[in-house]
């Protein structure tokens, strides 16, 4: 027991002697022989006070709950109320809540029309926010920043022209006047934000016309909300659930909102937008915008599968998780990145392998790149199959990949060549030849040697490109791996975006157990035949048997071999009509599969990839002045986007972002040069036409 409790209860029995006595309509609480409280049995407020005091004196919650006839959870609630609100938190008005008249709801509708938040309406009416939502319906959660600060709304009863009827004033409109534009005499709206560094991402958003892409999701009225969500992903929130850890009043102004909507309002809005959008059209708009802003002059793109595990209870299909080296339930995303590592497009579905999903990704890429665009696809051994090569040839695109093991023996001697790449010179040994690939035809093969041995072999359909250039393209495929790694860690592309799924009959082809049994029968028959043949050989070579004895046994051994061969032929014939795979529902009528909805995940993936590409662009431009090839991405992400505070000032004609000067001199200098570069062509926020100007100030 704490010292305070010991002083108050000095000389009293142990706290375990806490007990209650009910007599004559009165309740008395004792600690040993000493009476601590006495109150009327129906006095709930005094009972709550007694509970809070006993807990503060050091008595355990379970013990107090047992004595007072309450649950431990309610005792804990009362204690928290007393610590948070004092005595007022322990006293609640008795009886049913007061009824809210229709006149009050009429005023509430007027307040909402004036731009008031549901939480403030609920506070004024003395009801829960869910009651406001139920009576008035769902309001659009986007609250665009006004050009100038709104006048403070009058409290009920203050300046009322009529009893019980407060005057409703539109934002930016004086009482008693009609709608008017913003008052230029009003001071600009300024917002201090610890996330002000993220405002630099608008330079990329403007470059790629992100506003048009986001407007394609649902409509112009949702652009600010979707921009805010993308900004939150850029700030390190991997899921919408983690948005609650951001300061809403400081994150909202990054996208033109007064404050970031709460989860109870944000989630339904995102679901509404995603359900109304066409996911394929949205992905096409995104990919086309990324390519139009920074065309891929080399024409080289990289494709790779990315397995996303699923740990829920729904019967999701299984796929191979390379990270854990085993089959798990989940989904697979096939990502296409540009030569420089920018995300371009993606395909999402059940796990099936790169050889199956690559044609789908290629179709999306060709639509985004436009007719006649030069495309060279680079992929790893997961897509190095003749059917993939054939599909690329039919689509008139080049491909480059590694040869699957075993490597072929080169037919030509290696050539030593000196190459210069990124200012560095080195010698490489390589051999070039044309090889014949089964089920495809002729392909160009480049064999790279290291220390006199074959290190790797490259297959490509491009017969004209320089071998050193092809080696560089395939080496740069690791940018795809880096994208998958860092986008998973920093932008949550692995996170599940929606738990809804459609449960359908599983028609996916799976191994036929009857075929497995037929294969086992063939193997057993072949083992019997092999044993009979070995027995016949042993008989012929046995030196302990006379020729006459061998002649007597030979017919029987030959008959065994004949029967075994007939059994093998019969087993093979019986296996032939049995299909190797069947729909899962044909094997098990109760087989079901869950198809996770792609629309909601697709919308969030677009917002995540937009944030990733914005950081990618910003870091590359910062590194032009920073010259730190090892840490420039981390510096951009952690020091500037997520770690730089400042002030965002919204004026009628422009937006000014004042950033605190970074403490590290070389980063501060690089940032100043970067802001000068951005200010030369002032960007605008998606859905807004006001130019954004950046400036750096020394933090005092």
């Amino acid at each position: 027991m704490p010292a305070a409790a010991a002083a108050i209860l000095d000389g009293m029995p142990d706290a375990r002697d806490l007990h209650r006595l009910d007599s004559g309509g009165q309740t008395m609480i004792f600690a040993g022989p000493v009476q601590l409280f006495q109150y009327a049995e129906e006095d709930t407020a005094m009972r709550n006070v007694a509970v809070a005091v006993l807990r503060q004196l050091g008595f355990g919650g379970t013990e107090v709950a047992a004595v007072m006839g309450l649950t431990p959870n309610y005792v804990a609630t009362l204690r928290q109320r007393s610590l948070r609100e004092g005595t007022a938190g322990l006293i609640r008005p008795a009886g049913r809540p007061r009824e809210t008249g229709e006149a009050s709801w009429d005023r509430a509708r007027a307040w909402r029309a004036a731009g008031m938040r549901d939480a403030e309406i609920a506070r004024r009416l003395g009801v829960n926010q869910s009651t406001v939502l139920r009576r008035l319906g769902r309001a659009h959660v986007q609250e665009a920043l006004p050009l100038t600060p709104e006048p403070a709304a009058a409290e009920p009863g203050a300046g009322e022209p009529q009893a019980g009827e407060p005057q409703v004033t539109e934002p930016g409109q004086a009482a008693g006047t009609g709608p008017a534009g913003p008052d230029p005499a009003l001071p600009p709206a300024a917002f201090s934000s610890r996330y002000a560094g993220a405002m630099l991402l608008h330079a990329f958003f403007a470059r790629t016309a992100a506003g048009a892409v986001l407007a394609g999701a649902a409509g112009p009225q949702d652009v600010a909300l979707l921009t805010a969500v993308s900004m939150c992903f850029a700030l390190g929130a991997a899921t919408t659930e983690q948005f609650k850890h951001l300061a809403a009043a400081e994150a909202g102004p990054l996208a033109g909102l007064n404050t970031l909507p709460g989860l109870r309002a944000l989630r339904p809005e995102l679901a509404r937008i995603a359900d109304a959008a066409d996911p394929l059209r949205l992905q096409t708009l995104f990919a086309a915008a990324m390519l139009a802003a920074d065309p891929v002059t080399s024409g080289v793109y990289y494709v790779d599968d990315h397995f996303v595990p699923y740990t829920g209870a729904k019967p999701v299909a299984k796929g191979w998780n390379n990270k854990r080296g085993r089959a798990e339930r989940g989904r697979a995303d096939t990502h296409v990145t540009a030569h420089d590592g920018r995300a371009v497009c993606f395909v999402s579905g059940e796990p099936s392998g790169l050889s199956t999903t690559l044609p789908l990704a290629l179709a999306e890429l060709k639509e985004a790149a436009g007719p006649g665009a030069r495309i060279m696809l680079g992929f790893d051994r997961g897509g190095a199959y003749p059917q993939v090569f054939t599909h690329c040839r039919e689509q008139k695109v080049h491909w480059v990949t590694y040869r699957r093991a075993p490597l072929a023996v080169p037919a030509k001697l290696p050539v030593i060549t000196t190459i210069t790449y990124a200012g560095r010179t080195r010698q490489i040994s390589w051999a070039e030849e044309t090889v014949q690939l089964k089920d495809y035809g002729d392909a160009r093969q480049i064999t790279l040697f290291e220390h006199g041995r074959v290190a790797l072999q490259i297959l490509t359909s491009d017969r004209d490109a320089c071998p050193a250039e092809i080696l560089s393209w395939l080496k740069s495929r690791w940018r795809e791996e880096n994208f998958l790694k860092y986008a998973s860690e920093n932008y949550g592309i692995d996170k599940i975006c929606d738990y809804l799924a459609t449960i359908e009959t599983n028609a996916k082809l799976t191994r036929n157990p009857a075929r497995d049994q037929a294969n086992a029968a063939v193997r057993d028959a072949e083992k019997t035949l092999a044993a009979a043949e070995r027995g016949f050989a042993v008989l012929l070579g046995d030196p302990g048997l006379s020729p006459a004895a061998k002649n007597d046994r030979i017919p029987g051994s030959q008959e065994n071999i004949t029967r075994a061969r007939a059994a093998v032929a019969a087993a093979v014939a019986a296996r032939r009509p049995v299909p190797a795979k069947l729909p899962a529902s044909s094997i098990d009528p109760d087989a079901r599969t869950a198809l996770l909805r792609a629309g909601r995940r697709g919308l969030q993936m677009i917002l995540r990839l937009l944030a990733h590409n914005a950081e990618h662009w910003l870091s590359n431009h910062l590194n032009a002045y920073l010259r730190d090839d090892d840490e420039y991405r981390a510096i951009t992400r952690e020091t500037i986007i997520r770690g730089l505070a400042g002030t965002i000032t919204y004026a009628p004609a422009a937006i000014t972002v004042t950033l605190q000067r970074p403490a590290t001199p070389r980063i501060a200098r690089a940032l100043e040069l970067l802001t000068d570069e951005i200010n030369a062509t002032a960007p605008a926020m998606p859905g807004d036409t006001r130019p954004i100007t950046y400036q750096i100030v020394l933090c005092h």
Side-chain angles (χ1 to χ4, degrees), residues 8 20 112 201 251 342 355 361 416 422 460:
I8 296 175
R20 185 182 75 180
R112 176 185 274 185
L201 298 179
R342 286 178 290 127
S355 59
I416 300 177
T460 181

Side-chain angles (χ1 to χ4, degrees), residues 529-552:
L529 173 60
E533 291 175 342
R534 287 195 302 270
F536 184 66
V538 170
L539 173 64
L540 295 179
D542 188 353
L545 292 178
S546 63
K550 291 180 181 181
N551 290 335
D552 292 339

Side-chain angles (χ1 to χ4, degrees), residues 390-414:
T390 302
H391 180 80
C392 291
R393 181 171 58 191
E394 293 172 351
Q395 296 298 316
K396 295 180 173 56
V397 301
H398 285 305
W399 53 268
V400 59
T401 185
Y402 298 103
R403 187 181 188 113
R404 300 176 64 87
L407 301 182
V409 178
K412 294 186 177 181
L413 295 176

Side-chain angles (χ1 to χ4, degrees), residues 637-697:
R637 182 173 55 251
E638 304 299 335
T639 303
I640 296 178
I641 297 176
R642 302 178 182 176
L644 206 58
T647 303
I648 308 169
T649 304
Y650 285 84
I655 301 173
T656 303
V657 180
T658 304
L659 301 175
Q660 295 179 0
R661 182 182 177 87
T664 306
R666 66 187 186 95
I667 299 178
R669 178 183 176 277
L671 183 59
E672 289 175 348
L673 295 173
L674 176 61
T675 54
D676 289 341
E677 175 189 339
I678 296 175
N679 288 335
T681 306
M685 189 179 296
D688 200 327
T689 58
R690 288 173 286 183
I692 304 176
T693 303
Y694 303 90
Q695 58 187 18
I696 312 296
V697 298

